[in-house]
Amino acid sequence: MFSSPSYLNISDYAQQHRELIQAYCQLSVQPNLSDRDTARLDAILATAETDPLISFLIDEADHMLAHLYNFIDDADITEQQEKLQTCLSDEWLNQAFQDLAYRLQSSQCKSLQQYLKTQGFYQGAIDGVLGQVTKVAMQKCCDQQGELPQPFPINTPDAVSC
């Protein structure tokens, strides 16, 4: 596996491989490639497959070229960012929910459910079970308020943000 020398930062590494990245950029924007140019581009891409930093630099070059040639629609970027944020938020909530389910005692879970119920997010029974209904209520609370309000209705050392 490739590892860059510890004394190089990404900027130094990019400078060392500047000609390679420039050649990639010049070749990648051509509508047609000669056999020689195709072989050169293949060699660059093969190098990128074995060198994660060169792969990263090529990805960045592709991104800049896509902006330069208006291949990227800002509305598409915004939509993808929103989808990513939703996935990250959902994953965070799932992880937080699993952590809470593991750590909470029944009485603390009841306290959480009661709090969510008084805030209008929870319609289930105050049973001390962190089930799907409680999870949905926590998501609603987070969606509306951005976090589970503090002080959190159970004893935790850290604030819980959504």
Side-chain angles (χ1 to χ4, degrees), residues 127-161:
D127 57 8
V129 176
L130 276 175
Q132 187 62 31
V133 176
T134 305
K135 183 178 177 180
V136 169
M138 288 172 60
Q139 179 68 55
K140 287 179 185 176
C141 181
C142 287
D143 288 347
Q144 184 177 342
Q145 298 179 359
E147 65 181 11
L148 293 174
Q150 301 301 320
F152 193 64
I154 58 174
N155 297 323
T156 60
D158 302 318
V160 177
S161 299

PDB file of all heavy atoms in Angstrom, residues 127-161:
ATOM      1  N   ASP A 127     -44.118   3.775  28.603  1.00  0.00           N
ATOM      2  CA  ASP A 127     -43.853   2.396  29.022  1.00  0.00           C
ATOM      3  C   ASP A 127     -42.378   2.112  29.295  1.00  0.00           C
ATOM      4  O   ASP A 127     -42.017   1.007  29.695  1.00  0.00           O
ATOM      5  CB  ASP A 127     -44.374   1.416  27.968  1.00  0.00           C
ATOM      6  CG  ASP A 127     -43.786   1.656  26.583  1.00  0.00           C
ATOM      7  OD1 ASP A 127     -42.859   2.489  26.461  1.00  0.00           O
ATOM      8  OD2 ASP A 127     -44.242   0.999  25.640  1.00  0.00           O
ATOM      9  N   GLY A 128     -41.508   3.086  29.045  1.00  0.00           N
ATOM     10  CA  GLY A 128     -40.089   2.877  29.301  1.00  0.00           C
ATOM     11  C   GLY A 128     -39.375   2.060  28.250  1.00  0.00           C
ATOM     12  O   GLY A 128     -38.248   1.637  28.457  1.00  0.00           O
ATOM     13  N   VAL A 129     -40.017   1.852  27.108  1.00  0.00           N
ATOM     14  CA  VAL A 129     -39.424   1.068  26.026  1.00  0.00           C
ATOM     15  C   VAL A 129     -39.080   2.014  24.875  1.00  0.00           C
ATOM     16  O   VAL A 129     -39.951   2.717  24.369  1.00  0.00           O
ATOM     17  CB  VAL A 129     -40.401  -0.035  25.535  1.00  0.00           C
ATOM     18  CG1 VAL A 129     -39.802  -0.774  24.339  1.00  0.00           C
ATOM     19  CG2 VAL A 129     -40.743  -0.983  26.661  1.00  0.00           C
ATOM     20  N   LEU A 130     -37.816   2.009  24.490  1.00  0.00           N
ATOM     21  CA  LEU A 130     -37.395   2.853  23.365  1.00  0.00           C
ATOM     22  C   LEU A 130     -37.666   2.119  22.059  1.00  0.00           C
ATOM     23  O   LEU A 130     -36.778   1.521  21.465  1.00  0.00           O
ATOM     24  CB  LEU A 130     -35.909   3.198  23.473  1.00  0.00           C
ATOM     25  CG  LEU A 130     -35.572   4.384  24.345  1.00  0.00           C
ATOM     26  CD1 LEU A 130     -34.075   4.547  24.472  1.00  0.00           C
ATOM     27  CD2 LEU A 130     -36.191   5.650  23.828  1.00  0.00           C
ATOM     28  N   GLY A 131     -38.891   2.195  21.629  1.00  0.00           N
ATOM     29  CA  GLY A 131     -39.293   1.525  20.398  1.00  0.00           C
ATOM     30  C   GLY A 131     -39.414   2.508  19.247  1.00  0.00           C
ATOM     31  O   GLY A 131     -38.972   3.656  19.324  1.00  0.00           O
ATOM     32  N   GLN A 132     -40.034   2.048  18.192  1.00  0.00           N
ATOM     33  CA  GLN A 132     -40.159   2.840  16.965  1.00  0.00           C
ATOM     34  C   GLN A 132     -40.953   4.120  17.191  1.00  0.00           C
ATOM     35  O   GLN A 132     -40.607   5.166  16.638  1.00  0.00           O
ATOM     36  CB  GLN A 132     -40.813   1.989  15.860  1.00  0.00           C
ATOM     37  CG  GLN A 132     -40.831   2.664  14.507  1.00  0.00           C
ATOM     38  CD  GLN A 132     -39.439   2.957  13.955  1.00  0.00           C
ATOM     39  OE1 GLN A 132     -38.484   2.240  14.224  1.00  0.00           O
ATOM     40  NE2 GLN A 132     -39.321   4.023  13.188  1.00  0.00           N
ATOM     41  N   VAL A 133     -41.992   4.077  18.014  1.00  0.00           N
ATOM     42  CA  VAL A 133     -42.819   5.265  18.249  1.00  0.00           C
ATOM     43  C   VAL A 133     -41.987   6.345  18.959  1.00  0.00           C
ATOM     44  O   VAL A 133     -42.064   7.528  18.621  1.00  0.00           O
ATOM     45  CB  VAL A 133     -44.085   4.908  19.057  1.00  0.00           C
ATOM     46  CG1 VAL A 133     -44.893   6.140  19.392  1.00  0.00           C
ATOM     47  CG2 VAL A 133     -44.938   3.903  18.277  1.00  0.00           C
ATOM     48  N   THR A 134     -41.157   5.927  19.914  1.00  0.00           N
ATOM     49  CA  THR A 134     -40.291   6.878  20.610  1.00  0.00           C
ATOM     50  C   THR A 134     -39.251   7.444  19.646  1.00  0.00           C
ATOM     51  O   THR A 134     -38.967   8.643  19.653  1.00  0.00           O
ATOM     52  CB  THR A 134     -39.592   6.208  21.812  1.00  0.00           C
ATOM     53  OG1 THR A 134     -40.577   5.622  22.656  1.00  0.00           O
ATOM     54  CG2 THR A 134     -38.777   7.210  22.601  1.00  0.00           C
ATOM     55  N   LYS A 135     -38.709   6.601  18.793  1.00  0.00           N
ATOM     56  CA  LYS A 135     -37.722   7.040  17.814  1.00  0.00           C
ATOM     57  C   LYS A 135     -38.323   8.083  16.875  1.00  0.00           C
ATOM     58  O   LYS A 135     -37.701   9.114  16.600  1.00  0.00           O
ATOM     59  CB  LYS A 135     -37.217   5.834  17.018  1.00  0.00           C
ATOM     60  CG  LYS A 135     -36.142   6.157  16.022  1.00  0.00           C
ATOM     61  CD  LYS A 135     -35.681   4.883  15.335  1.00  0.00           C
ATOM     62  CE  LYS A 135     -34.659   5.191  14.276  1.00  0.00           C
ATOM     63  NZ  LYS A 135     -34.193   3.996  13.579  1.00  0.00           N
ATOM     64  N   VAL A 136     -39.534   7.847  16.392  1.00  0.00           N
ATOM     65  CA  VAL A 136     -40.204   8.799  15.498  1.00  0.00           C
ATOM     66  C   VAL A 136     -40.424  10.125  16.227  1.00  0.00           C
ATOM     67  O   VAL A 136     -40.226  11.210  15.671  1.00  0.00           O
ATOM     68  CB  VAL A 136     -41.531   8.215  14.957  1.00  0.00           C
ATOM     69  CG1 VAL A 136     -42.364   9.281  14.264  1.00  0.00           C
ATOM     70  CG2 VAL A 136     -41.244   7.053  14.009  1.00  0.00           C
ATOM     71  N   ALA A 137     -40.811  10.058  17.499  1.00  0.00           N
ATOM     72  CA  ALA A 137     -41.031  11.272  18.288  1.00  0.00           C
ATOM     73  C   ALA A 137     -39.725  12.051  18.455  1.00  0.00           C
ATOM     74  O   ALA A 137     -39.714  13.289  18.363  1.00  0.00           O
ATOM     75  CB  ALA A 137     -41.618  10.915  19.651  1.00  0.00           C
ATOM     76  N   MET A 138     -38.623  11.337  18.689  1.00  0.00           N
ATOM     77  CA  MET A 138     -37.328  12.011  18.811  1.00  0.00           C
ATOM     78  C   MET A 138     -36.972  12.700  17.495  1.00  0.00           C
ATOM     79  O   MET A 138     -36.479  13.831  17.493  1.00  0.00           O
ATOM     80  CB  MET A 138     -36.240  11.007  19.194  1.00  0.00           C
ATOM     81  CG  MET A 138     -36.335  10.507  20.617  1.00  0.00           C
ATOM     82  SD  MET A 138     -35.171   9.156  20.974  1.00  0.00           S
ATOM     83  CE  MET A 138     -33.611   9.952  20.654  1.00  0.00           C
ATOM     84  N   GLN A 139     -37.231  12.036  16.372  1.00  0.00           N
ATOM     85  CA  GLN A 139     -36.940  12.628  15.059  1.00  0.00           C
ATOM     86  C   GLN A 139     -37.780  13.881  14.843  1.00  0.00           C
ATOM     87  O   GLN A 139     -37.273  14.899  14.388  1.00  0.00           O
ATOM     88  CB  GLN A 139     -37.213  11.618  13.942  1.00  0.00           C
ATOM     89  CG  GLN A 139     -36.953  12.178  12.544  1.00  0.00           C
ATOM     90  CD  GLN A 139     -35.494  12.452  12.277  1.00  0.00           C
ATOM     91  OE1 GLN A 139     -34.677  11.567  12.427  1.00  0.00           O
ATOM     92  NE2 GLN A 139     -35.161  13.668  11.904  1.00  0.00           N
ATOM     93  N   LYS A 140     -39.050  13.833  15.194  1.00  0.00           N
ATOM     94  CA  LYS A 140     -39.918  15.007  15.048  1.00  0.00           C
ATOM     95  C   LYS A 140     -39.396  16.162  15.898  1.00  0.00           C
ATOM     96  O   LYS A 140     -39.376  17.306  15.452  1.00  0.00           O
ATOM     97  CB  LYS A 140     -41.356  14.665  15.444  1.00  0.00           C
ATOM     98  CG  LYS A 140     -42.086  13.805  14.443  1.00  0.00           C
ATOM     99  CD  LYS A 140     -43.499  13.500  14.933  1.00  0.00           C
ATOM    100  CE  LYS A 140     -44.213  12.543  14.020  1.00  0.00           C
ATOM    101  NZ  LYS A 140     -45.548  12.182  14.543  1.00  0.00           N
ATOM    102  N   CYS A 141     -39.013  15.866  17.108  1.00  0.00           N
ATOM    103  CA  CYS A 141     -38.470  16.889  18.004  1.00  0.00           C
ATOM    104  C   CYS A 141     -37.213  17.511  17.393  1.00  0.00           C
ATOM    105  O   CYS A 141     -37.064  18.734  17.355  1.00  0.00           O
ATOM    106  CB  CYS A 141     -38.183  16.287  19.374  1.00  0.00           C
ATOM    107  SG  CYS A 141     -37.536  17.462  20.580  1.00  0.00           S
ATOM    108  N   CYS A 142     -36.325  16.665  16.905  1.00  0.00           N
ATOM    109  CA  CYS A 142     -35.096  17.165  16.293  1.00  0.00           C
ATOM    110  C   CYS A 142     -35.378  17.980  15.041  1.00  0.00           C
ATOM    111  O   CYS A 142     -34.778  19.031  14.829  1.00  0.00           O
ATOM    112  CB  CYS A 142     -34.167  16.007  15.956  1.00  0.00           C
ATOM    113  SG  CYS A 142     -33.375  15.262  17.390  1.00  0.00           S
ATOM    114  N   ASP A 143     -36.304  17.505  14.212  1.00  0.00           N
ATOM    115  CA  ASP A 143     -36.636  18.221  12.981  1.00  0.00           C
ATOM    116  C   ASP A 143     -37.194  19.607  13.282  1.00  0.00           C
ATOM    117  O   ASP A 143     -36.868  20.579  12.613  1.00  0.00           O
ATOM    118  CB  ASP A 143     -37.657  17.435  12.150  1.00  0.00           C
ATOM    119  CG  ASP A 143     -37.059  16.203  11.492  1.00  0.00           C
ATOM    120  OD1 ASP A 143     -35.816  16.078  11.456  1.00  0.00           O
ATOM    121  OD2 ASP A 143     -37.853  15.352  11.028  1.00  0.00           O
ATOM    122  N   GLN A 144     -38.033  19.696  14.287  1.00  0.00           N
ATOM    123  CA  GLN A 144     -38.675  20.966  14.596  1.00  0.00           C
ATOM    124  C   GLN A 144     -37.769  21.904  15.384  1.00  0.00           C
ATOM    125  O   GLN A 144     -37.733  23.094  15.142  1.00  0.00           O
ATOM    126  CB  GLN A 144     -39.970  20.747  15.378  1.00  0.00           C
ATOM    127  CG  GLN A 144     -40.724  22.042  15.646  1.00  0.00           C
ATOM    128  CD  GLN A 144     -42.046  21.809  16.355  1.00  0.00           C
ATOM    129  OE1 GLN A 144     -42.563  20.706  16.373  1.00  0.00           O
ATOM    130  NE2 GLN A 144     -42.580  22.851  16.930  1.00  0.00           N
ATOM    131  N   GLN A 145     -37.028  21.364  16.341  1.00  0.00           N
ATOM    132  CA  GLN A 145     -36.277  22.218  17.244  1.00  0.00           C
ATOM    133  C   GLN A 145     -34.772  22.206  16.997  1.00  0.00           C
ATOM    134  O   GLN A 145     -34.048  22.978  17.594  1.00  0.00           O
ATOM    135  CB  GLN A 145     -36.558  21.808  18.699  1.00  0.00           C
ATOM    136  CG  GLN A 145     -38.012  21.975  19.054  1.00  0.00           C
ATOM    137  CD  GLN A 145     -38.325  21.544  20.478  1.00  0.00           C
ATOM    138  OE1 GLN A 145     -37.451  21.096  21.208  1.00  0.00           O
ATOM    139  NE2 GLN A 145     -39.573  21.687  20.863  1.00  0.00           N
ATOM    140  N   GLY A 146     -34.296  21.312  16.139  1.00  0.00           N
ATOM    141  CA  GLY A 146     -32.877  21.250  15.845  1.00  0.00           C
ATOM    142  C   GLY A 146     -32.070  20.469  16.865  1.00  0.00           C
ATOM    143  O   GLY A 146     -30.919  20.156  16.639  1.00  0.00           O
ATOM    144  N   GLU A 147     -32.642  20.171  17.997  1.00  0.00           N
ATOM    145  CA  GLU A 147     -31.977  19.384  19.027  1.00  0.00           C
ATOM    146  C   GLU A 147     -32.998  18.947  20.056  1.00  0.00           C
ATOM    147  O   GLU A 147     -34.121  19.450  20.073  1.00  0.00           O
ATOM    148  CB  GLU A 147     -30.870  20.183  19.710  1.00  0.00           C
ATOM    149  CG  GLU A 147     -31.369  21.374  20.491  1.00  0.00           C
ATOM    150  CD  GLU A 147     -30.248  22.169  21.138  1.00  0.00           C
ATOM    151  OE1 GLU A 147     -29.068  21.931  20.810  1.00  0.00           O
ATOM    152  OE2 GLU A 147     -30.544  23.019  21.963  1.00  0.00           O
ATOM    153  N   LEU A 148     -32.603  18.004  20.882  1.00  0.00           N
ATOM    154  CA  LEU A 148     -33.431  17.662  22.028  1.00  0.00           C
ATOM    155  C   LEU A 148     -33.151  18.743  23.063  1.00  0.00           C
ATOM    156  O   LEU A 148     -32.007  18.946  23.455  1.00  0.00           O
ATOM    157  CB  LEU A 148     -33.084  16.275  22.563  1.00  0.00           C
ATOM    158  CG  LEU A 148     -33.432  15.126  21.627  1.00  0.00           C
ATOM    159  CD1 LEU A 148     -32.903  13.807  22.193  1.00  0.00           C
ATOM    160  CD2 LEU A 148     -34.920  15.022  21.397  1.00  0.00           C
ATOM    161  N   PRO A 149     -34.165  19.521  23.462  1.00  0.00           N
ATOM    162  CA  PRO A 149     -33.937  20.689  24.309  1.00  0.00           C
ATOM    163  C   PRO A 149     -33.224  20.347  25.613  1.00  0.00           C
ATOM    164  O   PRO A 149     -33.344  19.252  26.141  1.00  0.00           O
ATOM    165  CB  PRO A 149     -35.346  21.195  24.597  1.00  0.00           C
ATOM    166  CG  PRO A 149     -36.176  20.656  23.490  1.00  0.00           C
ATOM    167  CD  PRO A 149     -35.560  19.338  23.134  1.00  0.00           C
ATOM    168  N   GLN A 150     -32.483  21.313  26.103  1.00  0.00           N
ATOM    169  CA  GLN A 150     -31.755  21.162  27.356  1.00  0.00           C
ATOM    170  C   GLN A 150     -32.490  21.950  28.445  1.00  0.00           C
ATOM    171  O   GLN A 150     -33.044  22.993  28.151  1.00  0.00           O
ATOM    172  CB  GLN A 150     -30.330  21.686  27.192  1.00  0.00           C
ATOM    173  CG  GLN A 150     -29.543  20.973  26.103  1.00  0.00           C
ATOM    174  CD  GLN A 150     -29.408  19.485  26.332  1.00  0.00           C
ATOM    175  OE1 GLN A 150     -29.204  19.055  27.453  1.00  0.00           O
ATOM    176  NE2 GLN A 150     -29.570  18.700  25.290  1.00  0.00           N
ATOM    177  N   PRO A 151     -32.530  21.556  29.682  1.00  0.00           N
ATOM    178  CA  PRO A 151     -31.879  20.327  30.095  1.00  0.00           C
ATOM    179  C   PRO A 151     -32.622  19.117  29.568  1.00  0.00           C
ATOM    180  O   PRO A 151     -33.843  19.069  29.570  1.00  0.00           O
ATOM    181  CB  PRO A 151     -31.940  20.380  31.623  1.00  0.00           C
ATOM    182  CG  PRO A 151     -33.101  21.251  31.914  1.00  0.00           C
ATOM    183  CD  PRO A 151     -33.209  22.233  30.769  1.00  0.00           C
ATOM    184  N   PHE A 152     -31.848  18.164  29.100  1.00  0.00           N
ATOM    185  CA  PHE A 152     -32.398  16.930  28.558  1.00  0.00           C
ATOM    186  C   PHE A 152     -33.136  16.213  29.684  1.00  0.00           C
ATOM    187  O   PHE A 152     -32.693  16.236  30.818  1.00  0.00           O
ATOM    188  CB  PHE A 152     -31.230  16.098  28.017  1.00  0.00           C
ATOM    189  CG  PHE A 152     -31.633  14.952  27.156  1.00  0.00           C
ATOM    190  CD1 PHE A 152     -32.279  15.151  25.953  1.00  0.00           C
ATOM    191  CD2 PHE A 152     -31.356  13.662  27.547  1.00  0.00           C
ATOM    192  CE1 PHE A 152     -32.627  14.084  25.165  1.00  0.00           C
ATOM    193  CE2 PHE A 152     -31.698  12.590  26.760  1.00  0.00           C
ATOM    194  CZ  PHE A 152     -32.334  12.801  25.572  1.00  0.00           C
ATOM    195  N   PRO A 153     -34.265  15.609  29.403  1.00  0.00           N
ATOM    196  CA  PRO A 153     -35.084  15.044  30.469  1.00  0.00           C
ATOM    197  C   PRO A 153     -34.496  13.821  31.163  1.00  0.00           C
ATOM    198  O   PRO A 153     -35.120  13.255  32.035  1.00  0.00           O
ATOM    199  CB  PRO A 153     -36.383  14.676  29.740  1.00  0.00           C
ATOM    200  CG  PRO A 153     -36.008  14.544  28.322  1.00  0.00           C
ATOM    201  CD  PRO A 153     -34.878  15.492  28.102  1.00  0.00           C
ATOM    202  N   ILE A 154     -33.321  13.402  30.770  1.00  0.00           N
ATOM    203  CA  ILE A 154     -32.625  12.338  31.475  1.00  0.00           C
ATOM    204  C   ILE A 154     -31.267  12.861  31.868  1.00  0.00           C
ATOM    205  O   ILE A 154     -30.805  13.876  31.346  1.00  0.00           O
ATOM    206  CB  ILE A 154     -32.490  11.059  30.634  1.00  0.00           C
ATOM    207  CG1 ILE A 154     -31.745  11.364  29.341  1.00  0.00           C
ATOM    208  CG2 ILE A 154     -33.830  10.434  30.373  1.00  0.00           C
ATOM    209  CD1 ILE A 154     -31.430  10.155  28.518  1.00  0.00           C
ATOM    210  N   ASN A 155     -30.600  12.225  32.768  1.00  0.00           N
ATOM    211  CA  ASN A 155     -29.299  12.682  33.227  1.00  0.00           C
ATOM    212  C   ASN A 155     -28.207  12.208  32.290  1.00  0.00           C
ATOM    213  O   ASN A 155     -27.843  11.038  32.284  1.00  0.00           O
ATOM    214  CB  ASN A 155     -29.024  12.182  34.637  1.00  0.00           C
ATOM    215  CG  ASN A 155     -30.016  12.739  35.624  1.00  0.00           C
ATOM    216  OD1 ASN A 155     -30.419  13.893  35.502  1.00  0.00           O
ATOM    217  ND2 ASN A 155     -30.420  11.940  36.591  1.00  0.00           N
ATOM    218  N   THR A 156     -27.703  13.126  31.439  1.00  0.00           N
ATOM    219  CA  THR A 156     -26.584  12.833  30.567  1.00  0.00           C
ATOM    220  C   THR A 156     -25.564  13.936  30.756  1.00  0.00           C
ATOM    221  O   THR A 156     -25.929  15.089  30.963  1.00  0.00           O
ATOM    222  CB  THR A 156     -26.991  12.747  29.080  1.00  0.00           C
ATOM    223  OG1 THR A 156     -27.544  13.995  28.703  1.00  0.00           O
ATOM    224  CG2 THR A 156     -27.964  11.631  28.828  1.00  0.00           C
ATOM    225  N   PRO A 157     -24.275  13.615  30.675  1.00  0.00           N
ATOM    226  CA  PRO A 157     -23.260  14.639  30.878  1.00  0.00           C
ATOM    227  C   PRO A 157     -23.132  15.618  29.726  1.00  0.00           C
ATOM    228  O   PRO A 157     -22.667  16.720  29.895  1.00  0.00           O
ATOM    229  CB  PRO A 157     -21.965  13.840  31.056  1.00  0.00           C
ATOM    230  CG  PRO A 157     -22.225  12.549  30.368  1.00  0.00           C
ATOM    231  CD  PRO A 157     -23.708  12.289  30.495  1.00  0.00           C
ATOM    232  N   ASP A 158     -23.540  15.215  28.520  1.00  0.00           N
ATOM    233  CA  ASP A 158     -23.347  16.046  27.352  1.00  0.00           C
ATOM    234  C   ASP A 158     -24.682  16.444  26.750  1.00  0.00           C
ATOM    235  O   ASP A 158     -25.661  15.712  26.836  1.00  0.00           O
ATOM    236  CB  ASP A 158     -22.563  15.282  26.268  1.00  0.00           C
ATOM    237  CG  ASP A 158     -21.212  14.810  26.779  1.00  0.00           C
ATOM    238  OD1 ASP A 158     -20.555  15.603  27.476  1.00  0.00           O
ATOM    239  OD2 ASP A 158     -20.842  13.670  26.482  1.00  0.00           O
ATOM    240  N   ALA A 159     -24.686  17.595  26.089  1.00  0.00           N
ATOM    241  CA  ALA A 159     -25.881  18.016  25.349  1.00  0.00           C
ATOM    242  C   ALA A 159     -26.084  17.058  24.188  1.00  0.00           C
ATOM    243  O   ALA A 159     -25.134  16.534  23.628  1.00  0.00           O
ATOM    244  CB  ALA A 159     -25.696  19.436  24.831  1.00  0.00           C
ATOM    245  N   VAL A 160     -27.314  16.845  23.805  1.00  0.00           N
ATOM    246  CA  VAL A 160     -27.630  15.984  22.685  1.00  0.00           C
ATOM    247  C   VAL A 160     -28.149  16.869  21.561  1.00  0.00           C
ATOM    248  O   VAL A 160     -29.180  17.493  21.698  1.00  0.00           O
ATOM    249  CB  VAL A 160     -28.687  14.913  23.060  1.00  0.00           C
ATOM    250  CG1 VAL A 160     -29.037  14.079  21.859  1.00  0.00           C
ATOM    251  CG2 VAL A 160     -28.177  14.051  24.201  1.00  0.00           C
ATOM    252  N   SER A 161     -27.375  16.949  20.468  1.00  0.00           N
ATOM    253  CA  SER A 161     -27.761  17.762  19.320  1.00  0.00           C
ATOM    254  C   SER A 161     -28.228  16.848  18.211  1.00  0.00           C
ATOM    255  O   SER A 161     -27.750  15.737  18.085  1.00  0.00           O
ATOM    256  CB  SER A 161     -26.581  18.591  18.825  1.00  0.00           C
ATOM    257  OG  SER A 161     -26.137  19.459  19.833  1.00  0.00           O
TER     258      SER A 161
END
